Amino acid sequence: MAVTGIVLFGYVLGHMVGNLQIFAPDRDQINHYAAFLHSPANVAPLWLIRAILLAAVVLHISAALQLTKLKSDARPLGYIKKKNVPSSYAARTMIWSGPIIAAFVIFHVLHLTVGAVMPLREVGANQPDVRYNVVSAFQNPAVSLFYILAVTLLCVHLYHGLWSMLQSLGWISPRHSQAIRKGAAAFAILVCLGFVSVPIAVMAGLVTY
Ligand code: HEM
């Protein structure tokens, strides 16, 4: 889970930074970036990254299912009274935040990559008009709200995921445990703000076509 988590986290971070280009002074910056990613020279690396991501998602989910099974096999009988004192809210919600995030990603790819939810515009062949597509999507408050909720859930998942990952890899000493927990929270909040700033800015009229 930790290794596939690193791959997925790396993608999420890179994608968030890429999206922030919508705020660049050059209004076409984000479209230039998309054109670069989709350029003929980058077809092979793009599909390689997509394949690695898909493999990481499949392995991450199957590891989560194995972990859940191990837990239920270890204690087949439920607790009569369950106190969640040592675990955080984020830790207890991992098992359902994961499937909701997976459903969001499927919707999101159909929405802004495939164009199955709304027609997508292109500036030229293989050059998505990301600025237009993102702005027209987020001008609908229901779509924006849905993205904001999904990204917030992703960041709660990320917070606990980051923390567990560092523990699984043995990179946390008990002495630094509290500081690392705070660092993981701060990182997750920054990632969340980076993503939600886009729908919020569109709804506030700060980012336009
Ligand atoms: C407000 C938040 C987000 C915005 C504005 C956004 C924007 C976009 C856009 C415009 C594309 C299409 C890019 C292209 O065609 O070149 C895209 C693709 C994608 N996004 Fe997002 N995204 C957001 C959040 C997320 C999150 C939270 C995740 C993951 C958990 C994610 C995962 C993906 C994936 C997997 C693709 C498909 C990439 C590909 O294979 O071409 N996105 N996103």
Side-chain angles (χ1 to χ4, degrees), residues 180-202:
I180 290 177
R181 195 177 274 280
K182 283 187 185 143
F187 217 78
I189 290 170
L190 277 182
V191 172
C192 183
L193 291 177
F195 275 121
V196 301
S197 62
V198 180
I200 290 176
V202 171

Side-chain angles (χ1 to χ4, degrees), residues 11 15 19 38 50 105 108 112-113 130 134 138 154 195 199:
Y11 176 78
H15 187 38
N19 286 349
H38 291 268
R50 284 173 170 167
V105 172
H108 174 54
L112 287 177
T113 304
V130 171
V134 167
F138 291 146
L154 167 72
F195 275 121

Side-chain angles (χ1 to χ4, degrees), residues 86 159 163 167 172-185:
Y159 158 59
W163 161 252
Q167 251 185 349
I172 295 183
S173 74
R175 217 153 51 92
H176 300 121
S177 149
Q178 276 313 310
I180 290 177
R181 195 177 274 280
K182 283 187 185 143

Side-chain angles (χ1 to χ4, degrees), residues 53-193:
L53 266 182
L54 195 62
V57 168
V58 170
L59 290 172
H60 199 72
I61 293 173
S62 70
L65 293 175
Q66 282 172 30
L67 207 64
T68 311
K69 187 171 178 321
L70 273 176
K71 272 173 73 176
S72 75
D73 286 353
R75 190 183 167 90
L77 282 176
Y79 292 95
I80 293 173
K81 192 169 179 202
K82 188 162 182 265
K83 278 173 98 181
N84 288 312
V85 178
S87 63
S88 69
Y89 177 76
R92 297 193 304 275
T93 54
M94 290 305 266
I95 198 61
W96 60 262
S97 59
I100 296 176
I101 293 161
F104 161 75
V105 172
I106 293 172
F107 169 82
H108 174 54
V109 170
L110 291 172
H111 185 207
L112 287 177
T113 304
V114 176
V117 179
M118 61 171 208
L120 296 180
R121 227 156 83 164
E122 281 193 331
V123 186
N126 283 326
Q127 293 178 19
D129 191 344
V130 171
R131 187 175 191 98
Y132 176 84
N133 296 334
V134 167
V135 171
S136 56
F138 291 146
Q139 275 177 345
N140 180 338
V143 173
S144 281
L145 188 67
F146 171 61
Y147 268 76
I148 291 169
L149 289 176
V151 167
T152 307
L153 193 63
L154 167 72
C155 290
V156 174
H157 191 89
L158 260 183
Y159 158 59
H160 180 74
L162 262 175
W163 161 252
S164 312
M165 178 181 87
L166 293 171
Q167 251 185 349
S168 303
L169 297 173
W171 291 347
I172 295 183
S173 74
R175 217 153 51 92
H176 300 121
S177 149
Q178 276 313 310
I180 290 177
R181 195 177 274 280
K182 283 187 185 143
F187 217 78
I189 290 170
L190 277 182
V191 172
C192 183
L193 291 177

